[in-house]
Amino acid sequence: MRAVIVAIGVAFLVSLFCTPIAIRVFTRLKAGQPIRTDGPQMHQGKKGTPTMGGVVFILATVIAYVAGHLALTTLPDAQIAQVEPTITALVLLGLMVFCGAVGFIDDFLKVRKRHSGGLSARGKLLGQILVGAVFGVVALWFPSTMTDASGAVTNTETVGSTTLSFIRDIPALDVTKIGAVVIFIFVVMAATNGVNLTDGLDGLATGASVMVLGAYAVIAFWQYRHWCADPAYTANPDNYCYTVRDPLEIALIAGAAAGACVGFLWWNTSPARIFMGDTGALGLGGLIAGMAMSTRTILLLLIIGGLFVIITMSVVIQIISFKTTGKRVFRMSPLQHHFELAGWSEVNIVVRFWIIAGIGVAIALGLFYSDFLANMG
């Protein structure tokens, strides 16, 4: 727990104090966010606000991960902990950094062209597919070789699983390694685009991501405290345990990313001094996808990230309706812009959407804990 708290604190402080520096640097570089001309007219006043702020909380998360590991070295030897960096951390941080890199290219092209059209949709999707495929393969083909004091291997889990999962793996739904990688690529694409579509109002995606990442920190730490690789816990045959890999690593990274987003939110809330841009949105989406895979809760992501799902579905519904009937269901999509045009203030929309995000997280955590109670001996 100490390492997770250290990571959260370091990430928050780095993000809080480095974001103003990023604001000055990006302002000096004239890296202002181009605003869509076909979007809500009230957004035109945001033109020129520095973008690519996601660089700050991605960097803060990586720094906090290192700090958390330094804290782990002070833990008692008897405590189960991953003191050395793991494949799990490589996958999770790699997804955040490289999905963020795809977003950075998009943001850079927008700034350079002084136009809201950056990287083409095809180019963005290809980048997401490539990142998802590479880290999906790593997650499925590199098992743990964790050993006990006698040298016996006690954990051979991979980061990902060949079976679909809801609150835990569903053995009957084995999709093989290739199938699991394909599914993971789809989850990466869905999560990155879901967060990106939600990032339309000041602080909306940042605040929602804090809740989602906070939920994954709780889930992963609970799995660590009830881990099948911990002989002290599994000594009681009635104890229900989780067959995951490196849950403390997952909790540390999720907590660090949540803390970094809180620090960024100080400057990103309305009126935003800086935007996360596609750099931050795709980076967060990639990390959230990795969290779902590594905690074996892929289908639960639909509830944990309920706000992202709702906003994404509003775009899908709008496109299908317009192409099939020529009529629009919403005044504008994504959904938050519909309510803007309906006369809601930006702050009202953000707070109410945060409430929706919180409800999804609460339901998901309730289901997770209920499953644990149902399986206890």
Side-chain angles (χ1 to χ4, degrees):
M1 187 65 171
R2 181 193 311 171
V4 176
I5 292 173
V6 167
I8 293 172
V10 169
F12 169 73
L13 292 174
V14 171
S15 187
L16 180 67
F17 291 110
C18 288
T19 301
I21 298 173
I23 293 171
R24 290 194 292 270
V25 170
F26 289 138
T27 300
R28 191 175 298 118
L29 293 175
K30 298 182 179 179
Q33 174 70 50
I35 304 298
R36 292 169 47 191
T37 56
D38 59 344
Q41 289 304 305
M42 61 280 287
H43 285 201
Q44 295 304 315
K46 300 180 180 183
K47 187 174 182 180
T49 302
T51 187
M52 296 187 281
V55 170
V56 179
F57 57 72
I58 291 174
L59 180 62
T61 302
V62 175
I63 292 172
Y65 171 75
V66 175
H69 265 268
L70 292 176
L72 279 177
T73 60
T74 66
L75 293 174
D77 293 338
Q79 184 166 348
I80 298 293
Q82 298 87 46
V83 176
E84 299 297 328
T86 64
I87 292 292
T88 301
L90 173 67
V91 170
L92 295 179
L93 294 177
L95 284 166
M96 188 180 199
V97 170
F98 285 96
C99 284
V102 174
F104 182 86
I105 294 171
D106 185 43
D107 287 333
F108 177 79
L109 292 176
K110 289 176 183 176
V111 170
R112 186 175 181 180
K113 296 177 181 178
R114 305 295 182 200
H115 189 270
S116 59
L119 188 64
S120 67
R122 179 179 296 180
K124 196 180 295 186
L125 288 175
L126 285 175
Q128 294 164 350
I129 291 171
L130 179 61
V131 174
V134 169
F135 288 103
V137 168
V138 174
L140 269 298
W141 265 269
F142 290 85
S144 172
T145 56
M146 185 177 177
T147 58
D148 59 19
S150 66
V153 176
T154 60
N155 190 306
T156 58
E157 292 295 323
T158 52
V159 180
S161 172
T162 60
T163 64
L164 283 177
S165 56
F166 179 49
I167 295 173
R168 48 199 166 94
D169 282 337
I170 306 171
L173 298 180
D174 193 312
V175 295
T176 74
K177 287 186 177 181
I178 299 296
V181 172
V182 172
I183 289 172
F184 180 61
I185 291 172
F186 174 77
V187 174
V188 169
M189 294 170 63
T192 51
N193 287 296
V195 177
N196 199 23
L197 290 171
T198 305
D199 183 34
L201 301 180
D202 296 352
L204 177 56
T206 310
S209 296
V210 169
M211 298 181 207
V212 172
L213 290 167
Y216 276 118
V218 170
I219 288 172
F221 192 76
W222 187 262
Q223 291 176 334
Y224 169 64
R225 299 297 295 175
H226 306 86
W227 192 20
C228 294
D230 184 353
Y233 181 74
T234 53
N236 183 346
D238 291 331
N239 283 341
Y240 173 71
C241 64
Y242 294 94
T243 53
V244 295
R245 175 174 177 169
D246 309 323
L248 186 59
E249 287 277 81
I250 303 168
L252 192 154
I253 294 170
C261 285
V262 172
F264 181 75
L265 186 60
W266 183 273
W267 307 100
N268 181 237
T269 193
S270 184
R273 296 273 306 280
I274 188 170
F275 299 141
M276 69 166 69
D278 280 24
T279 305
L282 298 191
L284 287 174
L287 178 60
I288 289 170
M291 289 289 160
M293 174 180 63
S294 59
T295 58
R296 313 292 173 87
T297 57
I298 285 181
L299 296 178
L300 190 64
L301 176 58
L302 294 171
I303 302 174
I304 294 180
L307 177 65
F308 302 140
V309 174
I310 291 169
I311 288 177
T312 301
M313 287 308 299
S314 73
V315 176
V316 173
I317 290 169
Q318 186 85 324
I319 291 172
I320 292 175
S321 176
F322 187 74
K323 287 191 174 183
T324 56
T325 69
K327 297 179 180 180
R328 292 180 171 85
V329 176
F330 307 104
R331 290 181 171 90
M332 181 178 290
S333 65
L335 187 61
Q336 60 269 32
H337 299 319
H338 167 82
F339 289 106
E340 277 191 291
L341 296 181
W344 291 22
S345 71
E346 182 170 1
V347 172
N348 275 343
I349 298 169
V350 170
V351 172
R352 288 168 181 171
F353 276 37
W354 281 353
I355 292 172
I356 294 172
I359 291 171
V361 165
I363 292 172
L365 289 177
L367 290 172
F368 180 83
Y369 186 60
S370 296
D371 175 81
F372 175 77
L373 293 178
N375 283 279
M376 283 294 288

